[in-house]
Amino acid sequence: MRYKSYILTLFYASATLILVFSIVRYPQIAFESSLRGLQIWWDVVFPATLPFMILSELMLGFGVVHFMGILLEPLMRPLFNVPGTGGFVLAMGFSSGYPVGPKLAARLREQQLVSRSEGERLLCFTSTSDPIFIFGAVAVGFFHDAALGISIAIANFAGAIIIGILLRYHDRKGESTPPAREHTSPLIFRALQAMHRARIKDNRPLGKLMGDAVLSSFQTLIIMGGFIIIFSVVIKFVTLGLISEILAYPAALLLALFHLSTEMSQSLIVGFFEVTQSMQYISELTTEVNMQTKIAIAAALVAWGGISVHAQVASIISSTDLRYQPYFIWKALHALASGVLCYLIWTPLQPFTSHLYQSLPAFAKHVPGGGLDYALEAIQHMSQYAIITAFVLGLFALIPLILQKVYTRP
């Protein structure tokens, strides 16, 4: 164990020294790549994510999370083995993209609304990409066909649901929050009562609550920006130097194992670190790699999120007792499940994708360009997705109650 600690120390120190030497040796390349990372953060990530983070903090203070917790308890507990408050994290995570889901899971853990085991389950399956990124950036921006985003989106979200169901067995011996007590009053009335009690318990004035929400959101986004910039530099040096050739060999062996073209090894290397740039590599592959394989690999990398997102998640949960190791393992499984699902549904969906695209005006038809226009468009679309997701979860939550009444009726 002691030698393992020394090896880790040597590895971290060596990697940092190599990166510093590379930046000093090639300052122009480092500057251009860091500037590109800053542009991605400022033009796209910052305006798209900030409103949702602020609103999420406000909804926690106003008791909306407690309202959804009571309302979605009949669905979330038997399906995912998490309390109903996890429905709020699921809706926001699916609509807003990573790392909003992990951020909210960490906040629920800080407020003792979930146990550590339940928080880790939420952490692992609510960290997904958002529809705007899948359709706007990946499908339209890199592959120039919005219909391709349908396969990626279905695989990404269906894979997350499957992982969430499997996660109900994660750390089963760990603590669980007690289920809601049986009541004779209507479900909606109990949910409203829980929301009111939570707001009274918080007891922060509106100005204080909004200030705390803005401050917390800015701190998280600044951390995200730092990771995006540094990983933009790391990826540039990795793809240019000897490290790329070293990593390409095991990647090529993995691809050969699945009878896939070794030409995609560079895409896997870049995608391991960061998603957006890997999509460009995949879209530029030669015609030797068919579109079905390209989209399946793209779906897997989108589900994985990249080490850049993993580092952001590790930073977000560092103030809690949630562990990063389960997140790493289950995100790898999510990537595998999404890639396989996308490959399997590709052929059956082909007759319908072009028709479906004609009826999807909400999806972006251009590459996100950043700035105020993108922020307003992102807020509009992601708000719709969050409301739709919460509404669907609410409908499913009513099914167990209806069945219970039917079968217990004398």
Side-chain angles (χ1 to χ4, degrees):
M1 184 64 67
R2 186 178 65 178
Y3 291 111
K4 180 181 178 181
S5 178
Y6 277 114
I7 291 172
L8 283 175
T9 301
L10 182 62
F11 172 76
Y12 292 146
S14 301
T16 306
L17 286 173
I18 291 172
L19 182 59
V20 171
F21 175 78
S22 301
I23 292 175
V24 174
R25 179 66 179 84
Y26 304 102
Q28 184 65 27
I29 294 176
F31 175 78
E32 291 174 355
S33 55
S34 63
L35 189 63
R36 184 178 185 278
L38 176 62
Q39 185 177 7
I40 292 173
W41 176 73
W42 180 251
D43 287 345
V44 179
V45 176
F46 187 89
T49 310
L50 178 63
F52 273 85
M53 284 194 172
I54 295 176
L55 290 174
S56 299
E57 292 288 338
L58 290 177
M59 284 191 282
L60 281 166
F62 291 147
V64 177
V65 177
H66 299 75
F67 173 84
M68 294 187 67
I70 298 296
L71 202 62
L72 297 177
E73 180 81 13
L75 172 68
M76 302 301 294
R77 185 79 66 175
L79 196 58
F80 303 113
N81 198 13
V82 296
T85 50
F88 169 74
V89 182
L90 181 63
M92 298 300 291
F94 276 25
S95 60
S96 307
Y98 29 63
V100 173
K103 166 70 174 175
L104 295 176
R107 290 289 288 119
L108 293 186
R109 179 57 185 152
E110 289 172 354
Q111 295 189 358
Q112 301 297 314
L113 295 177
V114 295
S115 67
R116 189 183 78 165
S117 301
E118 294 165 343
E120 288 176 351
R121 294 181 193 123
L122 282 174
L123 180 73
C124 296
F125 81 93
T126 61
S127 177
T128 64
S129 179
D130 62 271
I132 292 292
F133 175 76
I134 293 175
F135 283 89
V138 177
V140 176
F142 294 112
F143 291 98
H144 311 293
D145 185 358
L148 298 177
I150 297 173
S151 299
I152 299 176
I154 291 175
N156 189 48
F157 297 122
I161 294 296
I162 292 172
I163 292 299
I165 295 173
L166 294 176
L167 272 164
R168 70 187 316 277
Y169 302 105
H170 165 71
D171 197 13
R172 296 190 68 180
K173 295 182 179 179
E175 291 186 22
S176 298
T177 53
R181 292 177 297 175
E182 293 292 334
H183 289 274
T184 56
S185 56
L187 183 67
I188 187 68
F189 181 71
R190 286 188 278 124
L192 290 171
Q193 281 185 322
M195 180 172 65
H196 177 68
R197 286 195 298 266
R199 188 189 69 81
I200 297 300
K201 183 179 179 181
D202 186 276
N203 201 32
R204 281 179 293 175
L206 179 60
K208 172 66 174 174
L209 182 60
M210 293 188 67
D212 291 344
V214 172
L215 180 61
S216 174
S217 302
F218 262 90
Q219 288 176 338
T220 302
L221 278 168
I222 289 173
I223 293 172
M224 289 170 58
F227 280 118
I228 291 172
I229 292 170
I230 192 63
F231 273 95
S232 180
V233 176
V234 169
I235 291 168
K236 190 65 176 178
F237 284 125
V238 165
T239 55
L240 286 178
L242 179 63
I243 300 177
S244 176
E245 298 179 8
I246 296 174
L247 294 176
Y249 183 70
L253 287 178
L254 178 64
L255 290 169
L257 182 64
F258 292 96
H259 303 285
L260 299 175
S261 173
T262 56
E263 186 184 356
M264 293 188 293
S265 58
Q266 189 78 354
S267 304
L268 290 181
I269 294 170
V270 176
F272 177 77
F273 290 98
E274 205 273 329
V275 175
T276 307
Q277 296 184 48
S278 68
M279 296 299 110
Q280 183 175 358
Y281 280 85
I282 295 174
S283 64
E284 294 174 353
L285 291 173
T286 63
T287 53
E288 294 181 6
V289 183
N290 60 47
M291 185 58 71
Q292 182 180 11
T293 303
K294 288 183 181 180
I295 297 303
I297 296 296
L301 293 178
V302 167
W304 167 249
I307 291 296
S308 175
V309 171
H310 282 242
Q312 296 171 34
V313 171
S315 175
I316 288 171
I317 66 175
S318 61
S319 60
T320 69
D321 59 352
L322 302 179
R323 298 169 295 179
Y324 167 73
Q325 185 179 3
Y327 179 83
F328 182 91
I329 295 172
W330 285 99
K331 286 307 292 180
L333 293 175
H334 182 198
L336 178 62
S338 296
V340 172
L341 279 173
C342 188
Y343 192 86
L344 293 176
I345 67 176
W346 171 264
T347 302
L349 280 180
Q350 287 307 295
F352 307 101
T353 50
S354 58
H355 172 71
L356 283 174
Y357 174 60
Q358 298 298 325
S359 61
L360 291 176
F363 295 133
K365 295 183 174 65
H366 60 275
V367 184
L372 179 61
D373 292 337
Y374 173 74
L376 295 175
E377 181 183 3
I379 294 170
Q380 173 191 351
H381 293 322
M382 289 192 292
S383 299
Q384 294 173 357
Y385 299 136
I387 293 171
I388 291 171
T389 305
F391 180 72
V392 171
L393 290 175
L395 288 179
F396 277 106
L398 293 176
I399 294 176
L401 297 177
I402 295 174
L403 292 175
Q404 183 181 4
K405 288 187 177 181
V406 169
Y407 286 106
T408 56
R409 185 179 298 169

